[in-house]
């Protein structure tokens, strides 16, 4: 639907264009006009790699082919239908009936932050296993949300024993326990 007819919009667009041009001229007055040449960039042609880390991972060719299809908006009825399918598959994967099971589009750190933001209340104790970079990041995150952070620590790459975790839970009585599985 149109909010303004094209005949009424033309003078508005013309005034905006003049205003933008005037700002550009004023901002450049008194100094030499900068001429930035168009850079030469390489063709985007990433090499084939086998990704074996915790993420990102190689996408299946079927997934790659689907990514070349037309996009739909986040409010499109087709998108909403697709999202319901994804949510039901996630509920199956995690064996839960929680209707608010949703995919998080973002990095692992974004998912970590979503968990902290939704699980911890200011003043509650959060026990965090720190054995590398992401454990320390989790401590920082939880602290920003007001958690009282208690940690158990191991050198990078070493794992916690069940007894260490159990003892720390008994000692600190945390509301939330967090361990990183990719250090």
């Amino acid at each position: 639907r149109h909010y303004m007819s094209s005949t009424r919009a033309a003078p508005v667009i013309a005034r905006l264009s003049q205003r933008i041009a005037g700002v550009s001229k004023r901002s450049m007055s008194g100094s030499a006009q900068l001429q930035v040449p168009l850079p030469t960039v390489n063709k985007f042609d990433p090499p084939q790699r086998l990704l074996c880390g915790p993420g990102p991972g190689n996408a299946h060719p079927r997934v790659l082919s689907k990514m070349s299809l037309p996009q739909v908006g986040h409010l499109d009825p087709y998108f909403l239908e697709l999202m319901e399918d994804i949510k039901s598959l996630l509920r199956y994967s995690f064996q839960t009936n929680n209707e608010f099971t949703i995919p998080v589009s973002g990095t692992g750190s974004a998912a970590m932050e979503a968990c902290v933001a939704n699980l911890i209340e200011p003043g509650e104790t959060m026990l965090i296993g720190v054995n590398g970079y992401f454990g320390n990041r989790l401590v920082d995150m939880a602290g920003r949300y007001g958690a009282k952070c208690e940690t158990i620590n191991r050198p990078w790459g070493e794992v916690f024993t069940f007894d260490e975790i159990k003892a720390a839970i008994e000692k600190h009585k945390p509301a939330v326990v967090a361990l990183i599985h990719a250090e």
Side-chain angles (χ1 to χ4, degrees):
R1 120 179 120 161
H2 299 286
Y3 293 100
M4 188 181 297
S5 71
S6 58
T7 54
R8 287 181 52 217
V12 173
I13 293 170
R15 282 196 307 275
L16 285 173
S17 297
Q18 288 170 351
R19 232 181 249 166
I20 291 168
V23 169
S24 298
K25 285 178 188 172
R26 280 196 302 275
S27 64
M28 296 302 286
S29 63
S31 65
Q33 292 225 356
L34 184 62
Q35 295 294 322
V36 178
L38 178 64
T40 303
V41 296
N42 295 322
K43 177 181 159 192
F44 183 70
D45 190 16
Q48 291 290 322
R49 302 258 196 252
L50 176 60
L51 302 174
C52 296
N58 293 91
H60 189 277
R62 193 177 91 201
V63 172
L64 291 175
S65 72
K66 297 299 181 192
M67 290 173 65
S68 69
L69 296 176
Q71 295 179 346
V72 293
H74 68 285
L75 298 177
D76 187 293
Y78 177 76
F79 176 85
L80 299 174
E81 180 183 317
L82 179 64
M83 185 59 68
E84 288 305 317
D85 288 346
I86 292 169
K87 288 166 47 179
S88 68
L89 290 169
L90 284 171
R91 283 191 290 275
Y92 172 78
S93 296
F94 289 102
Q95 292 296 291
T96 181
N97 290 318
N98 185 338
E99 287 296 314
F100 196 67
T101 303
I102 59 170
V104 175
S105 178
T107 63
S109 293
M112 253 183 359
E113 181 127 14
C115 289
V116 172
N118 285 283
L119 294 176
I120 201 75
E121 293 292 329
E124 288 183 329
T125 299
M126 184 166 177
L127 175 64
I128 302 167
V130 178
N131 60 340
Y133 176 82
F134 290 102
N136 284 315
R137 179 179 277 185
L138 192 52
V139 171
D140 290 342
M141 257 182 225
R144 286 194 305 271
Y145 282 95
K148 179 179 176 246
C149 297
E150 298 291 347
T151 63
I152 51 176
N153 298 279
R154 283 286 200 168
W156 179 82
E158 289 188 17
V159 296
F160 298 96
T161 66
F162 174 78
D163 291 333
E164 287 174 306
I165 297 167
K166 182 179 177 189
I169 290 171
E170 289 170 354
K171 178 181 177 182
H172 300 293
K173 310 239 183 303
V176 176
V177 177
L179 299 170
I180 303 295
H181 297 276
E183 297 285 19

